[in-house]
Amino acid sequence: MDALNHADDILGHVSHLVRSERSALAALARGEGVTPEDAVDCVQEGLCTLLTLAHRGELPEDAGAWGGLLAGIVRNAARNRRRRHFRARPHEDVDAHPEAAGEALATDEAIARAEEHVRLRACVEELCEIQKAVVTLRMLEEQPGEDVARALGISAGHVAVLLHRAKLALRACMTAPS
C-alpha cells in the first residue's frame, strides 16, 4: 500500500506543503486583488478543500501535483471572494508596495494561526460522535453543561467526563508531531 494512502501521511504532506508555500499562496491571492486578511482566508479555504479532497480519496496519486492543485484552489477562492464582495480591485504587484514586507509578517502569522485552526478541525473530526457533539456545543457554541446534557439526553456529569476526555484527546492530537 502506498505510504500516501495513510491519513497521517497525507496530513503531514499537506502540512509541509502549506508551510513551505504559504507566503507564495498568500501572494497569489493578494495578486488577485483581495486584502491580506482575505488572502489568509483564501489559503485556509484552499487547505480545507485540499483536506476534503484527501478525505474523499480524490487527490492525484502524484503528491508533487498537490502544490499546483492547491495554488489553483487558492486562486479561484480569491477570485470568488473578490467577485462576491464586489471588490473590483486592480491586480497590482504586491512587492511594489513598501508596506508589503510588514504585511508579509502579519500574513505569515495569520497563516500559521489558520494552519492551527485547520489542524484542530482535523483533530475534532477524529473524536467519536458524542465527544464531537459535546465539544461543539460546550466549547464552540458555549452552551451550559446542563443544556448540552438535555440536548444529548445524557447526564451533566457525563457531559463533563466526555468533555474532559475530548480535551485530552485534542491536546494529544495537537501536540503530536506532524
Side-chain angles (χ1 to χ4, degrees):
M1 182 186 287
D2 189 2
L4 289 178
N5 288 337
H6 295 93
D8 291 340
D9 292 338
I10 291 172
L11 184 60
H13 186 76
V14 169
S15 178
H16 174 72
L17 174 68
V18 170
R19 282 192 192 112
S20 64
E21 299 295 325
R22 65 182 173 201
S23 294
L25 291 168
L28 176 71
R30 290 279 290 141
E32 293 298 327
V34 296
T35 65
E37 294 82 14
D38 285 342
V40 170
D41 289 343
C42 291
V43 172
Q44 183 174 0
E45 184 178 327
L47 179 58
C48 289
T49 302
L50 194 70
L51 290 173
T52 300
L53 291 173
H55 181 67
R56 292 182 191 159
E58 297 175 3
L59 283 178
E61 290 287 326
D62 178 23
W66 295 1
L69 177 63
L70 182 58
I73 293 169
V74 169
R75 178 180 290 116
N76 288 338
R79 288 176 179 171
N80 288 340
R81 184 172 295 263
R82 190 187 72 238
R83 288 181 195 130
R84 191 175 18 223
H85 295 290
F86 305 102
R87 295 181 180 157
R89 294 194 174 123
H91 300 276
E92 298 177 15
D93 182 18
V94 73
D95 297 325
H97 298 286
E99 67 273 358
E103 286 180 1
L105 293 176
T107 303
D108 286 345
E109 185 178 312
I111 289 174
R113 283 196 311 262
E115 287 173 352
E116 288 297 314
H117 176 78
V118 169
R119 188 168 181 185
L120 179 61
R121 284 182 54 188
C123 289
V124 169
E125 287 299 316
E126 292 177 7
L127 296 173
C128 68
E129 291 302 316
I130 189 75
Q131 285 180 335
K132 205 181 309 183
V134 168
V135 166
T136 301
L137 294 172
R138 280 290 282 134
M139 297 179 76
L140 301 179
E141 296 181 13
E142 299 178 354
Q143 292 185 11
E146 296 79 22
D147 292 349
V148 173
R150 197 172 17 262
L152 297 176
I154 57 178
S155 70
H158 193 56
V159 167
V161 169
L162 289 170
L163 183 61
H164 174 74
R165 290 179 182 164
K167 285 180 180 178
L168 291 175
L170 291 173
R171 188 174 298 115
C173 180
M174 290 296 291
T175 58
S178 343

